[in-house]
Amino acid sequence: MPILNRAAEMQEEVAGWRRHLHSRPELGFDVIETAAFVAGKLRAFGCDEVVTGLGRTGVVGIIRGRLGEGRTVGLRADMDALPISETTGKPYASTHEGRMHACGHDGHTAMLLGAAAYLAETRNFAGTIALIFQPAEEGGGGGREMVRDGLMDRFGIGNVFGMHNMPGLPVGHFAIRQGPILAATAEFDIEVSGRGGHAAMPHRSIDPVVAASHLVTATQSIVGRNVDPLEAGVVSITKFHAGDAHNVIPEKAVLAGTVRTLKSETAKLAEQRLQAVCDGTAATFGVAVELDFRPNYPVTFNHARETVFAGDVAAGIAGASQVDRDMQPLMAGEDFSYMLEARPGAFIFIGNGDSAGLHHPAYDFNDEAIPHGVSYWVRLAETALAS
């Protein structure tokens, strides 16, 4: 089963939707215009139900098959953009300064809309498709909020599937793996408080900059000397703010960073060791150190049966040689993880070709991927709900 002829015919139309969304990026839960656009399209396609406001600004479209009753399968796309200034120079570039679709959520939304148009017209399946359009994937936990709002139970969803584009993977290729495919994430802030004073008389101060600098170095041993080398873990300090003048030792230094792991046990170990590093720094330098550690998204974990199924569907479209079924897990986070905790399912990557990387100001979703993504969604729905 190669890509659908109808999906290829729809490419320009779907790309038009994608470029419309690209030019009007919205952040977090404030995807008001995007959600309205999605809901309007779903109604125009003739979906049996269109529900808005789930998980604050999420949208769900329901399509019932013509071949009889059956179970319900959920297909999910994310809608939000990032606080990045775009540098693509495209004619459809962001018209909102400081915001852009730098992760391809415009493409994800457009591809699922394309599949919705096809499925609402043909209805060649037995059961129900729940089309899930989620806000606030980029750190807001929109997936968590939709689940908390009763997404799975309200629509009787039995299995759920997600898809994300991957720069560097050729267009027409897919990649997936069973088990952990994306990392659990956590954020932390550290405040180091000393005693300020004249930079020429450091012996009369307690320098938080020196203490914080040693703390940064010490955190690099957390993974290297505590985590099994065969396990994955990342601890990165990404912010360091202290002082405002050349000749003043400041009162405080503030650090921030992230932890990424593929197992909850590794995440707990990283938190414990980070606290120990903070305590040790305080004792060594005579400063006060406060750690605020906040677990965020859980591990995105692909279920065994659904991973095989999703890989088979992708192979039917792309060919077996163009589906990597054992890709290396990525240390990025993804809040589709909450949906996979609620129901069995799988998350797959689709090739975006030789493009700038995700979250880069020069990134753009590759519209050549649209027929492959639309075909994947349609074939997955029809195969999962075959009569």
Side-chain angles (χ1 to χ4, degrees), residues 322-354:
Q322 298 189 163
V323 179
D324 181 356
R325 293 176 182 255
D326 192 27
M327 65 170 280
Q328 288 293 313
L330 303 177
M331 299 309 286
E334 165 62 63
D335 78 344
F336 186 65
S337 53
Y338 293 105
M339 296 189 188
L340 289 175
E341 286 188 331
R343 292 294 186 274
F347 192 72
I348 198 168
F349 286 93
I350 185 171
N352 201 58
D354 185 19

Side-chain angles (χ1 to χ4, degrees), residues 96-338:
H96 299 321
E97 182 61 34
R99 297 185 236 160
M100 73 168 288
H101 272 291
C103 203
H105 296 186
D106 52 340
H108 304 163
T109 296
M111 288 190 294
L112 190 55
L113 284 175
Y118 182 101
L119 292 166
E121 179 183 344
T122 60
R123 298 177 183 263
N124 191 31
F125 53 90
T128 302
I129 303 297
L131 305 149
I132 304 163
F133 295 87
Q134 179 209 302
E137 190 282 322
E138 298 289 357
R144 176 186 61 231
E145 295 308 306
M146 291 192 81
V147 171
R148 285 177 175 173
D149 257 4
L151 169 68
M152 301 302 174
D153 293 334
R154 177 172 178 176
F155 302 105
I157 295 171
N159 300 98
V160 64
F161 295 87
M163 178 164 56
H164 201 293
N165 77 94
M166 179 182 283
L169 185 68
V171 170
H173 288 232
F174 293 84
I176 196 169
R177 67 174 283 113
Q178 181 180 325
I181 189 168
L182 288 157
T185 66
E187 299 171 347
F188 60 85
D189 292 283
I190 301 171
E191 184 176 273
V192 181
S193 300
R195 184 170 65 239
H198 200 295
M201 293 175 277
H203 58 293
R204 296 182 180 177
S205 302
I206 301 176
D207 192 340
V209 176
V210 172
S213 298
H214 280 266
L215 193 153
V216 170
T217 302
T219 60
Q220 300 312 298
S221 69
I222 291 175
V223 172
R225 288 297 176 266
N226 293 276
V227 175
D228 185 330
L230 298 179
E231 301 293 344
V234 175
V235 177
S236 291
I237 302 288
T238 56
K239 297 181 184 180
F240 191 133
H241 299 296
D244 299 296
H246 290 81
N247 61 348
V248 177
I249 292 173
E251 290 280 326
K252 296 181 186 294
V254 178
L255 310 176
T258 185
V259 173
R260 308 294 175 102
T261 63
L262 293 175
K263 289 185 176 179
S264 59
E265 297 88 346
T266 311
K268 292 176 182 176
L269 174 62
E271 180 180 5
Q272 293 168 356
R273 296 308 302 156
L274 186 58
Q275 183 64 64
V277 166
C278 290
D279 293 343
T281 300
T284 301
F285 293 93
V287 292
V289 182
E290 293 185 11
L291 170 66
D292 178 17
F293 189 94
R294 302 178 301 279
N296 197 1
Y297 297 167
V299 172
T300 303
F301 191 94
N302 279 345
H303 297 255
R305 186 173 67 86
E306 287 74 17
T307 301
V308 172
F309 172 69
D312 288 346
V313 171
I317 297 162
S321 64
Q322 298 189 163
V323 179
D324 181 356
R325 293 176 182 255
D326 192 27
M327 65 170 280
Q328 288 293 313
L330 303 177
M331 299 309 286
E334 165 62 63
D335 78 344
F336 186 65
S337 53
Y338 293 105

